[in-house]
Amino acid sequence: MGWVTPEAPKPEELSACIQCGLCLPVCPTFRLTGDEVASPRGRLTAMSAVADGIAEVDDTFHEIMSFCLQCRACEPACPSLVPFGRAMEGARAEIAAQLPSAKTSLRQSLLGRRGLGSGGAVRGITRLAALGQLAEADRWLPGRLKKPIAGLRRLGLRSTSVIGQTHRPKGTPVATVGLLAGCVMDSWFPEVHKATIATLVAAGYAVSVPESQSCCGALAAHDGAVDEAKALAGTALQAFRDVDLVVSDAAGCGAHLKELGHWASGGRDFSSKVRDVTELVAESISVGRLPRLAERGVSVAIQDPCHLRHAQRIVAEPRDLLRAGGYTVLEIDPNGMCCGAAGLYSVLRPETSSELGDRKAAQVMATGARIVASANPGCEMQLRSSLGSGFRVAHPVELYAEAVGLV
Ligand code: SF4
Ligand code: SF4
């Protein structure tokens, strides 16, 4: 049958692969299995087979595609600039369109405007999770939910949402920034938003958190939920139409917002305004709008979220923030191998996710640091649950804001 949706992998995306294999050593699923079909090249070959009418979008195709973490480590390694993440989103859209059985009830309940896209649903889940933490109820959870839940920060029963807030700096603002509150970020990581707002205001930015915003749609896009991804992209365009810049303090959301041209007309212009918070803060430090401290002998291991390092190609900025906060930065992995969180992957493929999480935890432990910096909520949760007690995992902007006395 071939492809049936406009989102399908494009001929030029697939033909760009010259089969050189340079992506294989950086691919976590290939590293775990040694299996060609679990490599970027193997997955592109499977997509080409469907495009050429040799294979079908069937359960085998679904299994090959769903084993991919969508970490995009293969993209910077590729000399032919294959847009693998885009092609994989297209393949997932085809699976959703041609294989309705692939849509699990778990996915359907988590994705979109009635799931993580709905602030009310996330706030309800948060209150339940907070009560569960108080009652130490995690021991009754099913196995596949136990580890992700163990990665949560300590939640409060009262709302900590920053949605609707506006903040102004002293004097004329450098620019007006709209903060993406996100779905789980706003309810589960309020300290990160607080540090982001305080640091940006101290750097001279006016910060608003538009009330009409919703989930960015990244999880829906990664899972082939095309209608949800498009609807949420349209909401983002409307919500942030009046700001100079859009800032995200969650790497996965920022990466998706920087590629909104795939999902909404006008998305390309919107994407040109999107920045990760570490980009704005590092720039503000470099021009002297934010302070820089001397090294204080506090070690921080740094973890690179895939959607910061591979998708947005941001590597220096989080390190700049930490060094400006006086921290000693310890590297854990020069290749930035995925920690196994990968959106819903940790719930849908718990064994593979755990194995990658354990490898990442071992890399952190080898440094001797007890603090780990991570700029993405899923990675933070994965690190916390894989490391266990005795470690602090925090966003680089939180660590910087604390060091210079902004929070
Ligand atoms: S996105 Fe990650 S897991 Fe998927 S093929 Fe590329 S490197 Fe491998
Ligand atoms: S590195 Fe790029 S061109 Fe080479 S096999 Fe991998 S995807 Fe294809």
Side-chain angles (χ1 to χ4, degrees):
M1 188 198 288
W3 305 132
V4 299
T5 75
E7 286 75 28
K10 309 268 178 292
E12 63 274 18
E13 293 167 352
L14 300 178
S15 63
C17 177
I18 54 171
Q19 302 278 309
C20 66
L22 289 174
C23 53
L24 271 61
V26 301
C27 172
T29 52
F30 180 76
R31 290 273 288 269
L32 285 179
T33 62
D35 190 352
E36 171 74 18
V37 88
S39 77
R41 185 174 62 186
R43 289 173 178 127
L44 289 165
T45 302
M47 290 180 211
S48 294
V50 173
D52 295 342
I54 299 166
E56 295 287 317
V57 175
D58 54 13
D59 289 341
T60 304
F61 184 79
H62 177 220
E63 171 60 23
I64 293 169
M65 298 304 144
S66 66
F67 191 41
C68 170
L69 292 137
Q70 293 179 284
C71 70
R72 296 172 62 178
C74 43
E75 288 188 13
C78 176
S80 204
L81 306 180
V82 173
F84 186 89
R86 221 308 302 162
M88 179 54 73
E89 284 180 352
R92 299 281 178 106
E94 286 292 327
I95 290 167
Q98 297 196 42
L99 269 188
S101 60
K103 286 188 182 176
T104 66
S105 57
L106 176 65
R107 277 196 178 92
Q108 284 172 332
S109 58
L110 282 173
L111 295 172
R113 285 163 289 179
R114 286 171 298 285
L116 292 178
S118 152
V122 176
R123 283 191 288 279
I125 294 168
T126 304
R127 271 192 287 278
L128 274 177
L131 285 168
Q133 284 180 337
L134 283 173
E136 298 181 359
D138 56 330
R139 55 183 177 266
W140 292 301
L141 284 170
R144 66 162 57 187
L145 284 178
K146 205 171 259 182
K147 202 164 179 194
I149 295 288
L152 284 171
R153 294 180 177 215
R154 180 57 66 177
L155 301 172
L157 288 170
R158 277 188 299 184
S159 170
T160 49
S161 175
V162 296
I163 292 176
Q165 292 185 6
T166 56
H167 300 263
R168 291 190 64 79
K170 290 182 193 137
T172 308
V174 177
T176 300
V177 166
L179 172 65
L180 179 79
C183 40
V184 298
M185 279 302 292
D186 194 44
S187 290
W188 297 356
F189 300 85
E191 302 87 356
V192 180
H193 280 344
K194 197 173 160 195
T196 292
I197 291 169
T199 309
L200 291 178
V201 170
Y205 292 99
V207 180
S208 70
V209 195
E211 229 163 306
S212 55
Q213 65 176 296
S214 186
C215 167
C216 67
L219 287 179
H222 294 168
D223 209 49
V226 171
D227 292 344
E228 293 292 351
K230 286 183 175 170
L232 293 167
T235 303
L237 253 64
Q238 275 301 310
F240 292 99
R241 65 189 180 281
D242 295 329
V243 297
D244 302 317
L245 295 170
V246 180
V247 73
S248 171
D249 50 18
C253 307
H256 182 68
L257 292 182
K258 285 184 176 180
E259 295 172 354
L260 228 55
H262 298 307
W263 300 102
S265 90
R268 225 172 280 280
D269 290 341
F270 173 94
S271 291
S272 68
K273 300 197 299 185
V274 177
R275 304 283 185 279
D276 185 77
V277 64
T278 59
E279 293 180 277
L280 289 186
V281 176
E283 184 193 321
S284 300
I285 293 166
S286 74
V287 297
R289 290 202 305 266
L290 285 170
R292 183 188 297 278
L293 305 182
E295 199 166 344
R296 299 173 287 129
V298 181
S299 295
V300 175
I302 185 146
Q303 180 261 352
D304 290 306
C306 296
H307 284 86
L308 201 64
R309 183 178 181 119
H310 307 311
Q312 299 188 58
R313 312 287 166 99
I314 294 174
V315 178
E317 288 83 347
R319 290 160 174 77
D320 291 347
L321 258 68
L322 293 170
R323 291 196 184 101
Y327 300 99
T328 306
V329 178
L330 303 179
E331 298 293 338
I332 62 169
D333 174 9
N335 298 316
M337 188 71 77
C338 181
C339 67
L344 297 182
Y345 199 92
S346 59
V347 179
L348 300 170
R349 294 215 173 231
E351 292 86 12
T352 308
S353 172
S354 272
E355 193 167 345
L356 290 168
D358 291 345
R359 289 183 179 207
K360 192 61 67 182
Q363 290 172 333
V364 170
M365 287 175 192
T367 67
R370 310 300 285 182
I371 306 173
V372 192
S374 176
N376 191 56
C379 308
E380 177 183 314
M381 290 173 64
Q382 175 82 335
L383 285 164
R384 185 172 294 112
S385 62
S386 300
L387 283 164
S389 58
F391 292 85
R392 180 181 180 202
V393 191
H395 193 291
V397 79
E398 268 183 295
L399 295 170
Y400 174 77
E402 282 173 20
V404 300
L406 292 171
V407 291

